[in-house]
Amino acid sequence: MHIEIQGQLEKISYINEENGYTIAKMKVKGHRELITITGNLLSVTPGEILKLNGIWYNHPKYGEQIKVTAYESVIPATVKGIERYLGSGLIKGIGPIMAKRIVTKFGVETLDVIENSILRLKEADGIGDKRIEMIQKAWAEQKEIKEVMLFLQGHGVSSSYATKIFKQYGQKTIKIVKENPYQLATDIFGIGFITADKIAENLGIAKDSQIRAEAGVLYVLQQLSNEGHVYYPYELLVEECKKVLNLERDIIVRAFGKIALERKIVIEDINEEEIEKNNKAVYLTEFYVSEVGISDSLKKLLNTKKMLRLFDIEKALEWVQKELGIILAENQIKAVKESIRQKVMVITGGPGTGKTTIINSIIKIYKRLGQRVLLAAPTGRASKRMTEATGHEAKTIHRLLGFSPVEGRFKRNEQNPLEADLIVIDETSMVDTILMYHFLKAVPITATLILVGDADQLPSVGAGNVLKDIIESGVIHTVKLHEIFRQSGESLIITNAHKVNNGEMPILTHNKDRIQDFYFFQIEEPEKILERIISLCKEKIPEKFKFDPVKDIQVLTAMHKGIIGTSNLNIELQKALNPSTDELVRGSKVFKPGDKVMQIINNYDKDVYNGDIGVITRIDKEEQEITVDYDGKSVIYDYKDLDEIVLAYCISVHKSQGSEYLAVVMPVHTQHYMLLQRNLLYTGITRGKRLVVLIGTKKALAIAIRNNKPQKRYTYLKNRLMKP
């Protein structure tokens, strides 16, 4: 039955951020109970009066509801309604307490005062010029957003994205979206091609239009780069575009030509075994420039003479061993000697093979020679660990290069190189193509460069396989470390990591008489695995090892979906480990003070990067801000930027690279069949410093260990380095 009804929005129970689908409760005159309403209700706020058209229907589980077909916002008329409306987070600068003060002072005239005589707000307690300015700006923005919202609402854009679109384009929003909705996918984080495509369809843009084909090709290439590919073979890319975009070959090929002319992509003839037809590789321009740039920079470094005064290397080795109170093994001595001879070199090996001892020896010798030494690693945690291990300050690569938000680029580059004679990068397997390019541009041509890492770990989250390509090219001198040193050999974590890496089953037996650093629990059902993970994190590990459940224990998993995927594990671990009732609901996400969270994109302005983990210290509903502490550095997020962070009680193995945790808990189950790989299991185990607990089945372990064919990544760096 069709109805028209008016009432006050009391509570929003659920919002799907993707499509704006909302479930809410509404107070309607003449109805004792709150009425449930459902539909695409964009930019609505508790306290708002809504006039809506809809259909009554009976949900089999939740009872009577109204399916909303159309609605409009009506300014609330009662004092209570106005207070609720203002205090709901609608206006930045007015929270529940401030709303009460304002409404107590101005009553039903409140909204008129804000609209027409805003300076009168000073008459209310605690409101000064700064807050008035903030309220005025937010109120004007809210009015403008409402207009844009109405336009975007008709085209299936969620409220959180509508706010971002408005922030990016302001008054030009409607004009830009109408002319080229695909621009949204390029300009706004979180809006992908699929969302832009829906808007385009609603605006009547044809599926086979050139504008869609061009945007679509760039989207497909971007998706492939997210899977690790630096380029994609021409014919395979055509097939992928046909499948994803549902377009004919000639339209796609025409789009290739147009965006190549505009220099958005580069099509290059290459000789790769995988490319049978026409030998063409297609790159997004940024990746092409970066890959060629890495090759050129390394060759320049290799071809520049080493500037190091002559000295007795045997005496230096004797001195450094005495200084550090150690005896270097044969392979370690070889590595230190090569660091003196070589201009660029790689040191690779698994845990416990003495990489840190070598780095410390090299640093000592170079500093004794009066050389300027710089150390860096890809992540904050890896650089912190490097600092602790060497006693010499290490920075993240991003900080080393010094990003300038004003100019939108790194301050250190070929015009302004780093001031160093020796640069050592740790955890190099994590460094992707684009970051390596920017780093190498800043390496002075006279410097010695040492790349340290474990080539058997997972490749970088970003596109490329830089460390492996450099090693396999054979162009750069590489020292491979295999020997496990005695103390490390007593650790089951290290022993089992090497067993897995060598294709052997790890030692899974438990010695009940002593505490081990590696445990395996055979559990078949995913539901039971989930229960065990929660009990281990909440009670068992903290009791036995005295570890903090949030700070010291990290759950790692292979997949995002499923009962033991990151999404569900985060929800369940948050419930178990964070009892706080002060929560902020943003779509399907719930944040609370005390939550462990992770940054998921590089944000140079905030100086936080993809993979950084912190803890929420404050949620300010009045200022609409969340504060996150990243190892002593406070970062403030506006509500509209909260899609940059996710809960991190559980993270993917990929995202754990470069970090080390006191305890790692990891499900290994055939439910994750597609991603069970040797290098994934090996990487997960090597993240644990004092404890690793695997939960699952021996069958899943065996599958992972046997599967030593990492997913193919299309890169051409190895070949570029091998060319004269």
Side-chain angles (χ1 to χ4, degrees):
M1 181 179 77
H2 278 273
I3 57 153
E4 188 177 286
I5 201 167
Q6 184 168 310
Q8 186 170 42
L9 195 66
E10 285 291 313
K11 182 188 173 195
I12 293 172
S13 310
Y14 169 80
I15 300 177
N16 181 322
E17 292 290 342
E18 287 296 310
N19 57 22
Y21 176 77
T22 304
I23 301 169
K25 301 278 187 187
M26 191 166 160
K27 194 176 187 178
V28 178
K29 212 173 179 180
H31 291 260
R32 280 178 60 195
E33 301 289 323
L34 293 177
I35 289 173
T36 301
I37 60 172
T38 67
N40 285 55
L41 304 164
L42 289 166
S43 191
V44 292
T45 316
E48 207 168 339
I49 305 293
L50 295 180
K51 186 191 279 183
L52 52 87
N53 294 315
I55 304 160
W56 275 111
Y57 94 109
N58 205 353
H59 190 283
K61 190 173 176 184
Y62 301 108
E64 283 203 320
Q65 301 181 346
I66 296 175
K67 264 188 185 172
V68 179
T69 52
Y71 74 96
E72 61 178 290
S73 178
V74 179
I75 298 294
T78 67
V79 168
K80 201 167 173 55
I82 292 168
E83 185 187 322
R84 184 87 199 283
Y85 179 62
L86 275 185
S88 62
L90 174 81
I91 305 296
K92 187 168 179 171
I94 305 180
I97 297 162
M98 197 57 75
K100 193 173 187 67
R101 284 186 203 161
I102 295 170
V103 175
T104 301
K105 180 72 187 167
F106 300 110
V108 291
E109 293 175 28
T110 298
L111 300 178
D112 186 55
V113 167
I114 294 172
E115 179 74 46
N116 301 310
S117 323
I118 197 159
L119 293 175
R120 283 192 62 204
L121 290 182
K122 283 185 189 175
E123 296 168 30
D125 287 346
I127 297 191
D129 290 337
K130 194 180 171 193
R131 194 173 291 272
I132 283 178
E133 195 182 322
M134 189 191 281
I135 293 167
Q136 188 171 26
K137 187 179 172 215
W139 182 258
E141 205 170 88
Q142 187 61 27
K143 273 177 68 184
E144 287 168 358
I145 283 175
K146 284 278 182 192
E147 288 170 34
V148 173
M149 288 286 187
L150 286 171
F151 166 72
L152 294 173
Q153 181 190 344
H155 304 299
V157 181
S158 75
S159 54
S160 63
Y161 288 148
T163 311
K164 284 192 159 201
I165 293 167
F166 182 79
K167 189 185 173 196
Q168 177 83 16
Y169 304 131
Q171 295 297 322
K172 295 177 187 164
T173 300
I174 294 170
K175 182 176 181 285
I176 287 168
V177 173
K178 275 183 175 174
E179 281 175 8
N180 183 3
Y182 295 105
Q183 200 173 322
L184 299 174
T186 312
D187 294 347
I188 292 151
F189 171 68
I191 293 189
F193 174 82
I194 295 186
T195 306
D197 208 24
K198 278 182 199 162
I199 298 167
E201 191 176 6
N202 283 329
L203 288 166
I205 293 171
K207 284 279 183 194
D208 60 355
S209 66
Q210 204 57 36
I211 192 174
R212 179 176 182 269
E214 289 162 20
V217 170
L218 294 172
Y219 161 72
V220 171
L221 267 174
Q222 191 59 59
Q223 292 300 105
L224 291 165
S225 78
N226 292 344
E227 290 172 23
H229 303 293
V230 178
Y231 74 84
Y232 215 63
Y234 189 99
E235 291 302 330
L236 292 183
L237 182 62
V238 170
E239 289 309 308
E240 193 65 21
C241 290
K242 278 165 71 177
K243 190 168 75 188
V244 173
L245 306 173
N246 199 14
L247 290 173
E248 295 298 318
R249 180 189 169 90
D250 61 334
I251 296 170
I252 293 161
V253 170
R254 215 162 40 240
F256 280 10
K258 177 87 185 308
I259 56 180
L261 271 174
E262 291 169 355
R263 300 195 176 170
K264 289 176 181 171
I265 63 169
V266 173
I267 301 171
E268 186 187 30
D269 280 324
I270 66 173
N271 268 319
E272 266 287 87
E273 290 159 27
E274 285 87 359
I275 304 182
E276 287 135 21
K277 288 185 189 171
N278 76 20
N279 291 336
K280 284 194 175 83
V282 186
Y283 288 81
L284 286 167
T285 301
E286 185 180 20
F287 290 109
Y288 177 78
V289 168
S290 297
E291 193 177 79
V292 170
I294 291 170
S295 176
D296 290 349
S297 295
L298 286 172
K299 284 175 182 176
K300 275 180 199 162
L301 276 170
L302 286 168
N303 293 330
T304 309
K305 203 169 178 297
K306 182 123 178 171
M307 308 283 282
L308 206 58
R309 64 182 170 84
L310 288 169
F311 64 97
D312 188 329
I313 198 160
E314 297 301 333
K315 272 190 177 171
L317 280 162
E318 203 178 302
W319 170 81
V320 84
Q321 290 178 89
K322 207 171 178 182
E323 278 286 303
L324 293 170
I326 55 165
I327 297 168
L328 292 169
E330 194 183 328
N331 221 8
Q332 291 179 313
I333 288 172
K334 184 183 163 196
V336 176
K337 283 182 174 177
E338 288 302 334
S339 79
I340 306 299
R341 293 191 192 111
Q342 303 295 332
K343 198 72 182 356
V344 185
M345 74 175 284
V346 172
I347 300 168
T348 184
T353 55
K355 294 193 295 289
T356 305
T357 306
I358 295 168
I359 295 169
N360 283 339
S361 304
I362 293 167
I363 291 168
K364 274 265 184 231
I365 291 170
Y366 269 81
K367 288 191 88 175
R368 182 72 193 263
L369 293 167
Q371 300 282 289
R372 296 164 301 170
V373 176
L374 283 179
L375 309 183
T379 66
R381 292 199 168 202
S383 63
K384 200 174 175 186
R385 227 173 60 232
M386 200 180 185
T387 303
E388 287 162 4
T390 61
H392 186 101
E393 190 201 3
K395 293 181 177 177
T396 64
I397 296 172
H398 288 104
R399 287 200 185 102
L400 193 72
L401 299 178
F403 189 78
S404 163
V406 179
E407 296 173 52
R409 63 187 180 91
F410 290 113
K411 291 174 191 167
R412 295 287 184 179
N413 49 38
E414 58 270 63
Q415 276 85 42
N416 181 27
L418 294 160
E419 289 159 21
D421 304 301
L422 169 72
I423 303 173
V424 183
I425 300 293
D426 199 8
E427 296 283 2
T428 312
S429 63
M430 292 181 67
V431 184
D432 63 36
T433 302
I434 287 170
L435 184 58
M436 184 58 90
Y437 164 63
H438 285 294
F439 163 68
L440 288 173
K441 279 204 297 182
V443 174
I445 203 146
T446 52
T448 296
L449 174 64
I450 299 176
L451 303 173
V452 183
D454 185 346
D456 294 320
Q457 279 189 36
L458 288 168
S460 54
V461 175
N465 209 343
V466 178
L467 182 64
K468 208 159 194 168
D469 283 349
I470 287 172
I471 293 168
E472 288 181 1
S473 74
V475 169
I476 286 161
H477 189 87
T478 301
V479 174
K480 292 180 181 173
L481 306 169
H482 300 289
E483 185 186 347
I484 303 172
F485 292 97
R486 194 182 61 79
Q487 203 179 349
S488 301
E490 290 164 12
S491 159
L492 260 185
I493 293 174
I494 288 172
T495 301
N496 282 340
H498 284 275
K499 277 184 168 293
V500 165
N501 200 29
N502 294 330
E504 301 165 30
M505 277 295 273
I507 298 162
L508 304 177
T509 50
H510 296 179
N511 185 335
K512 286 179 181 163
D513 299 329
R514 68 187 184 94
I515 291 177
Q516 297 179 190
D517 65 0
F518 187 99
Y519 292 86
F520 173 76
F521 295 109
Q522 169 85 18
I523 301 175
E524 187 75 49
E525 300 83 10
E527 292 81 2
K528 293 266 169 58
I529 293 174
L530 174 64
E531 282 172 28
R532 180 62 64 93
I533 289 170
I534 289 166
S535 91
L536 282 165
C537 294
K538 193 177 180 182
E539 293 133 17
K540 298 281 193 294
I541 294 174
E543 282 167 15
K544 194 166 184 173
F545 294 86
K546 305 293 179 250
F547 291 162
D548 182 285
V550 176
K551 289 179 184 163
D552 299 336
I553 303 170
Q554 186 61 59
V555 180
L556 303 178
T557 186
M559 285 184 80
H560 295 293
K561 291 177 181 172
I563 292 167
I564 46 177
T566 50
S567 301
N568 189 55
L569 276 166
N570 270 314
I571 291 164
E572 296 301 327
L573 286 163
Q574 183 190 45
K575 281 182 204 164
L577 302 178
N578 191 346
S580 173
T581 52
D582 176 17
E583 58 181 41
L584 174 70
V585 181
R586 304 299 289 169
S588 54
K589 290 180 186 175
V590 177
F591 293 117
K592 304 178 186 183
D595 274 340
K596 187 197 280 194
V597 292
M598 180 171 64
Q599 175 79 12
I600 56 167
I601 64 161
N602 288 337
N603 188 322
Y604 297 100
D605 296 340
K606 286 187 168 71
D607 194 24
V608 279
Y609 303 97
N610 190 352
D612 285 356
I613 288 179
V615 174
I616 295 176
T617 53
R618 187 181 66 106
I619 294 177
D620 189 327
K621 290 178 181 171
E622 196 153 297
E623 299 291 333
Q624 295 183 19
E625 289 172 347
I626 276 186
T627 305
V628 178
D629 177 76
Y630 291 99
D631 287 328
K633 182 181 72 179
S634 281
V635 175
I636 294 170
Y637 292 85
D638 204 272
Y639 278 10
K640 60 181 168 290
D641 297 326
L642 291 182
D643 53 354
E644 289 187 16
I645 58 171
V646 294
L647 290 177
Y649 295 98
C650 173
I651 63 174
S652 68
V653 179
H654 246 118
K655 291 280 190 187
S656 74
Q657 282 177 272
S659 295
E660 203 173 50
Y661 314 97
L662 287 181
V664 161
V665 177
M666 184 175 167
V668 183
H669 194 270
T670 48
Q671 200 178 63
H672 295 163
Y673 188 88
M674 293 295 288
L675 287 168
L676 287 175
Q677 290 174 336
R678 189 187 295 178
N679 61 354
L680 184 127
L681 180 61
Y682 172 70
T683 302
I685 292 170
T686 56
R687 299 307 91 205
K689 194 176 180 181
R690 291 189 18 214
L691 176 68
V692 169
V693 183
L694 302 183
I695 310 161
T697 63
K698 288 179 184 173
K699 184 185 175 185
L701 272 178
I703 291 167
I705 291 162
R706 275 200 308 270
N707 182 6
N708 195 29
K709 279 192 176 171
Q711 288 167 319
K712 165 75 186 165
R713 287 187 167 202
Y714 286 105
T715 77
Y716 200 56
L717 178 60
K718 179 176 110 176
N719 305 63
R720 289 188 196 283
L721 287 167
M722 288 164 75
K723 285 178 183 174

